[in-house]
Amino acid sequence: QLQASGGGLVQPGGSLRLSCGASGSSFSSYTVGWFRQDPGKDRDFVAGIRWSGGTTYYADPVKGRFTISRDYAKNTVYLQMDSLKPEDTAVYYCAVGRPITSAAKNPSMYYYWGPGTLVTVSS
């Protein structure tokens, strides 16, 4: 079962770190992705990381501002979000799957999803 945490209210330019953990299982052999969704809109890819090897993927709007990483000992994936903008406001979800590289940003390639955590960027 996936559990995402770390959301909250932050001012523009601020930072937040989201965490994604898996109770009772390991991320081994999976890709862990972060997605975000505004009400009434599609769920968009944000960032992803292959647990084995550590290959990372980023959506263009967050490149240079967000960093995805993993902690083997804690079986946890983090999304460090810096220089946050109001347009980053959304519910953020973590998910796991085994997508091929070319499909790593496709939400349909992920089959386990955790509950979302709300990130609000506002002054």
Side-chain angles (χ1 to χ4, degrees), residues 25-114:
S25 60
S26 170
F27 287 133
S28 178
S29 81
Y30 287 102
T31 294
V32 180
W34 284 99
F35 297 80
R36 64 188 182 188
Q37 187 171 27
D38 286 331
K41 296 185 178 180
D42 293 335
R43 192 166 293 186
D44 294 328
F45 174 80
V46 176
I49 186 167
R50 290 195 183 276
W51 190 259
S52 177
T55 301
T56 58
Y57 312 91
Y58 293 95
D60 288 343
V62 307
K63 283 181 180 176
R65 299 189 298 122
F66 291 10
T67 304
I68 191 169
S69 62
R70 69 199 191 290
D71 185 319
Y72 281 111
K74 297 182 178 179
N75 197 44
T76 299
V77 170
Y78 300 101
L79 183 67
Q80 177 67 40
M81 304 186 296
D82 299 318
S83 302
L84 283 161
K85 305 175 181 180
E87 52 263 42
D88 295 318
T89 295
V91 177
Y92 284 70
Y93 299 88
C94 66
V96 295
R98 293 193 178 101
I100 58 175
T101 299
S102 61
K105 301 180 180 181
N106 186 341
S108 65
M109 295 293 105
Y110 294 78
Y111 33 81
Y112 297 116
W113 292 81

